[in-house]
Coordinates of all heavy atoms in Angstrom, one line a residue:
H15 N 46.4 105.0 166.4 CA 47.1 105.3 167.7 C 46.2 104.9 168.8 O 46.6 105.3 169.9 CB 47.5 106.7 167.7 CG 48.5 107.1 166.7 ND1 49.8 106.9 166.8 CD2 48.4 107.9 165.6 CE1 50.4 107.3 165.7 NE2 49.6 107.9 165.0
R16 N 45.2 104.2 168.6 CA 44.3 103.9 169.7 C 44.9 103.2 170.9 O 44.6 103.5 172.1 CB 43.1 103.0 169.2 CG 41.8 103.0 169.9 CD 40.8 102.2 169.1 NE 39.6 102.3 169.8 CZ 38.4 102.1 169.2 NH1 38.4 101.8 167.9 NH2 37.3 102.2 169.9
E17 N 45.7 102.2 170.7 CA 46.4 101.5 171.7 C 47.3 102.4 172.6 O 47.3 102.4 173.8 CB 47.3 100.4 171.2 CG 46.4 99.2 170.7 CD 47.3 98.0 170.2 OE1 48.5 97.9 170.7 OE2 46.7 97.2 169.4
E18 N 48.0 103.3 171.9 CA 48.8 104.4 172.5 C 48.0 105.3 173.5 O 48.3 105.5 174.6 CB 49.6 105.3 171.5 CG 50.3 106.4 172.0 CD 50.7 107.3 170.9 OE1 50.7 107.0 169.7 OE2 51.1 108.5 171.3
F19 N 46.8 105.6 173.0 CA 45.9 106.5 173.7 C 45.3 105.7 174.9 O 45.2 106.3 176.0 CB 44.8 107.0 172.9 CG 45.4 108.0 171.8 CD1 44.6 108.1 170.6 CD2 46.6 108.7 171.9 CE1 45.2 108.9 169.5 CE2 47.0 109.4 170.9 CZ 46.3 109.6 169.7
D20 N 45.1 104.4 174.7 CA 44.5 103.7 175.8 C 45.5 103.6 176.9 O 45.2 103.7 178.1 CB 44.2 102.2 175.3 CG 42.9 102.1 174.6 OD1 42.2 103.1 174.5 OD2 42.6 101.1 173.9
D21 N 46.8 103.4 176.6 CA 47.9 103.4 177.6 C 48.0 104.7 178.4 O 48.1 104.7 179.6 CB 49.2 103.1 177.0 CG 49.3 101.6 176.4 OD1 48.5 100.8 176.8 OD2 50.2 101.4 175.5
I22 N 47.9 105.8 177.7 CA 48.0 107.1 178.3 C 46.8 107.2 179.2 O 47.0 107.6 180.4 CB 47.9 108.2 177.3 CG1 49.3 108.3 176.5 CG2 47.6 109.6 177.9 CD1 49.2 109.1 175.3
L23 N 45.6 106.9 178.8 CA 44.3 107.0 179.7 C 44.4 106.1 180.8 O 44.1 106.5 182.0 CB 43.1 106.8 178.8 CG 42.8 107.8 177.8 CD1 41.6 107.4 176.9 CD2 42.5 109.2 178.4
N24 N 44.9 104.9 180.6 CA 45.0 104.0 181.9 C 46.0 104.5 182.8 O 45.8 104.2 184.0 CB 45.4 102.6 181.3 CG 44.2 101.9 180.8 OD1 43.0 102.0 181.2 ND2 44.4 101.0 179.7
E25 N 47.0 105.2 182.4 CA 48.0 105.7 183.3 C 47.5 107.0 184.0 O 47.8 107.2 185.2 CB 49.4 106.1 182.6 CG 50.4 106.6 183.4 CD 51.7 107.0 182.7 OE1 51.8 106.6 181.5 OE2 52.6 107.7 183.2
Y26 N 46.8 107.9 183.4 CA 46.4 109.2 183.9 C 45.1 109.2 184.6 O 44.8 110.1 185.4 CB 46.7 110.3 182.9 CG 48.1 110.6 182.7 CD1 48.8 109.9 181.7 CD2 48.8 111.4 183.6 CE1 50.2 110.1 181.5 CE2 50.1 111.6 183.4 CZ 50.8 111.1 182.4 OH 52.1 111.2 182.2
S27 N 44.2 108.2 184.2 CA 42.9 108.2 184.8 C 43.0 107.5 186.2 O 43.3 106.3 186.2 CB 41.9 107.5 183.9 OG 40.7 107.4 184.5
K28 N 42.7 108.2 187.2 CA 42.8 107.5 188.6 C 41.6 106.7 189.0 O 41.8 105.8 189.8 CB 43.1 108.7 189.6 CG 44.3 109.5 189.3 CD 45.6 108.7 189.3 CE 46.8 109.5 189.1 NZ 47.9 108.8 188.5
T29 N 40.4 107.0 188.4 CA 39.2 106.4 188.7 C 38.7 105.4 187.9 O 38.1 104.3 188.3 CB 38.2 107.4 189.1 OG1 38.0 108.2 187.9 CG2 38.5 108.3 190.3
W30 N 38.9 105.5 186.5 CA 38.3 104.6 185.6 C 39.4 104.2 184.6 O 40.2 104.9 184.0 CB 37.2 105.3 184.9 CG 36.1 105.6 185.6 CD1 35.8 106.9 186.2 CD2 34.9 104.8 186.0 NE1 34.7 106.8 186.8 CE2 34.1 105.6 186.8 CE3 34.6 103.5 185.8 CZ2 32.9 105.1 187.4 CZ3 33.4 103.0 186.3 CH2 32.6 103.8 187.1
K31 N 39.4 102.9 184.3 CA 40.3 102.5 183.2 C 39.5 102.6 181.9 O 38.3 102.6 181.9 CB 40.7 101.0 183.5 CG 41.5 100.9 184.7 CD 42.8 101.7 184.5 CE 43.6 101.7 185.8 NZ 44.5 102.8 185.9
V32 N 40.2 102.4 180.8 CA 39.6 102.6 179.5 C 38.4 101.6 179.2 O 37.3 102.0 178.7 CB 40.6 102.3 178.4 CG1 40.0 102.2 177.0 CG2 41.6 103.5 178.4
S33 N 38.4 100.4 179.7 CA 37.4 99.4 179.5 C 36.1 99.8 180.2 O 35.1 99.3 179.9 CB 37.9 98.0 180.0 OG 38.2 98.1 181.3
R34 N 36.2 100.7 181.2 CA 35.1 101.2 182.0 C 34.4 102.5 181.6 O 33.4 102.9 182.1 CB 35.3 101.2 183.5 CG 35.9 99.9 184.1 CD 34.8 99.0 184.5 NE 33.9 99.8 185.3 CZ 33.1 99.2 186.2 NH1 33.2 98.1 186.4 NH2 32.3 100.0 186.9
L35 N 35.2 103.2 180.8 CA 34.7 104.6 180.4 C 33.6 104.5 179.3 O 33.5 103.5 178.5 CB 35.8 105.3 179.6 CG 37.0 105.8 180.6 CD1 38.1 106.4 179.8 CD2 36.5 106.8 181.5
P36 N 32.6 105.4 179.6 CA 31.5 105.5 178.5 C 32.2 105.8 177.2 O 33.1 106.5 177.0 CB 30.7 106.7 179.0 CG 31.0 106.9 180.4 CD 32.4 106.5 180.6
K37 N 31.5 105.3 176.1 CA 32.0 105.4 174.8 C 32.1 106.8 174.3 O 33.1 107.2 173.7 CB 31.1 104.6 173.8 CG 31.1 103.1 174.1 CD 32.5 102.5 174.1 CE 32.3 101.0 174.2 NZ 33.4 100.4 174.9
V38 N 31.1 107.7 174.7 CA 31.2 109.1 174.3 C 32.4 109.7 175.0 O 33.2 110.4 174.3 CB 29.9 109.8 174.8 CG1 30.0 111.3 174.7 CG2 28.7 109.3 174.0
T39 N 32.7 109.4 176.2 CA 33.9 110.0 176.9 C 35.2 109.6 176.2 O 36.0 110.4 176.0 CB 33.8 109.7 178.3 OG1 32.6 110.2 178.9 CG2 34.9 110.3 179.2
L40 N 35.2 108.3 175.9 CA 36.3 107.7 175.4 C 36.6 108.4 174.0 O 37.8 108.7 173.6 CB 36.2 106.2 175.2 CG 37.5 105.4 174.9 CD1 38.6 105.7 175.9 CD2 37.0 103.9 174.9
A41 N 35.6 108.6 173.2 CA 35.8 109.2 171.8 C 36.3 110.6 172.0 O 37.2 111.0 171.2 CB 34.5 109.1 171.1
I42 N 35.8 111.3 173.0 CA 36.3 112.7 173.2 C 37.9 112.7 173.6 O 38.6 113.4 173.1 CB 35.4 113.4 174.3 CG1 34.0 113.6 173.8 CG2 36.1 114.7 174.8 CD1 33.0 114.0 174.9
F43 N 38.1 111.7 174.5 CA 39.5 111.6 174.9 C 40.4 111.3 173.7 O 41.5 111.9 173.5 CB 39.7 110.4 175.9 CG 39.6 110.8 177.4 CD1 38.8 110.2 178.2 CD2 40.4 111.9 177.9 CE1 38.6 110.5 179.5 CE2 40.3 112.3 179.2 CZ 39.5 111.5 180.1
Y44 N 40.1 110.4 172.9 CA 40.8 109.9 171.7 C 41.1 111.1 170.7 O 42.2 111.3 170.3 CB 40.1 108.9 170.9 CG 40.1 107.5 171.5 CD1 39.3 106.5 171.1 CD2 41.1 107.2 172.5 CE1 39.3 105.2 171.6 CE2 41.1 105.8 173.1 CZ 40.2 104.9 172.5 OH 40.3 103.6 173.1
V45 N 40.0 111.9 170.5 CA 40.2 113.1 169.6 C 41.1 114.1 170.2 O 42.1 114.6 169.5 CB 38.9 113.7 169.3 CG1 39.0 115.0 168.5 CG2 38.0 112.8 168.4
A46 N 41.0 114.4 171.5 CA 41.8 115.4 172.2 C 43.3 114.9 172.3 O 44.2 115.6 172.0 CB 41.3 115.6 173.6
L47 N 43.4 113.6 172.5 CA 44.9 113.1 172.6 C 45.5 113.1 171.2 O 46.7 113.4 171.1 CB 44.9 111.7 173.2 CG 44.6 111.7 174.7 CD1 44.4 110.2 175.1 CD2 45.8 112.3 175.5
Y48 N 44.7 112.9 170.2 CA 45.3 112.9 168.8 C 45.7 114.3 168.5 O 46.9 114.5 168.0 CB 44.3 112.3 167.8 CG 44.9 112.4 166.4 CD1 45.8 111.3 166.0 CD2 44.7 113.4 165.5 CE1 46.4 111.4 164.8 CE2 45.3 113.4 164.3 CZ 46.1 112.4 163.9 OH 46.8 112.5 162.7
E49 N 44.9 115.3 168.8 CA 45.2 116.6 168.5 C 46.4 117.0 169.4 O 47.3 117.8 168.9 CB 44.0 117.6 168.8 CG 42.9 117.4 167.8 CD 41.7 118.4 168.0 OE1 41.5 118.7 169.2 OE2 41.2 119.0 167.0
M50 N 46.5 116.7 170.6 CA 47.6 117.1 171.4 C 48.9 116.5 170.9 O 50.0 117.1 171.0 CB 47.4 116.6 172.9 CG 46.3 117.4 173.5 SD 45.8 116.6 175.2 CE 47.1 117.2 176.1
E51 N 48.8 115.3 170.5 CA 50.1 114.6 170.0 C 50.5 114.8 168.6 O 51.7 114.8 168.2 CB 50.0 113.1 170.2 CG 49.9 112.7 171.7 CD 51.3 113.1 172.4 OE1 52.3 112.8 171.9 OE2 51.2 113.7 173.5
Y52 N 49.5 114.9 167.7 CA 49.8 114.8 166.3 C 49.4 116.0 165.4 O 49.6 116.0 164.2 CB 49.3 113.5 165.7 CG 49.9 112.3 166.4 CD1 49.2 111.6 167.3 CD2 51.2 111.9 166.0 CE1 49.8 110.5 168.0 CE2 51.8 110.8 166.7 CZ 51.1 110.2 167.6 OH 51.7 109.0 168.2
V53 N 48.7 116.9 165.9 CA 48.2 118.1 165.2 C 48.9 119.4 165.7 O 48.5 120.0 166.7 CB 46.7 118.3 165.2 CG1 46.2 119.4 164.4 CG2 46.0 117.0 164.9

């Protein structure tokens, strides 16, 4: 679901787009979004 999560982050992140986020932060976002949507 990575592309889906990228779209969500690009919509709700006002200051940084996915391509500019630190990898650690992005991994944390991905896990949280997966849990919010699918667990």
Side-chain angles (χ1 to χ4, degrees):
H15 297 281
R16 200 169 185 163
E17 288 182 23
E18 172 191 346
F19 299 152
D20 286 348
D21 291 342
I22 291 168
L23 292 172
N24 283 327
E25 180 179 347
Y26 287 93
S27 175
K28 302 300 182 203
T29 54
W30 297 95
K31 295 302 174 198
V32 168
S33 61
R34 303 276 311 207
L35 287 171
K37 301 299 186 216
V38 168
T39 303
L40 192 54
I42 293 168
F43 270 130
Y44 285 162
V45 170
L47 287 168
Y48 182 80
E49 288 185 322
M50 291 170 76
E51 291 297 314
Y52 298 103
V53 182

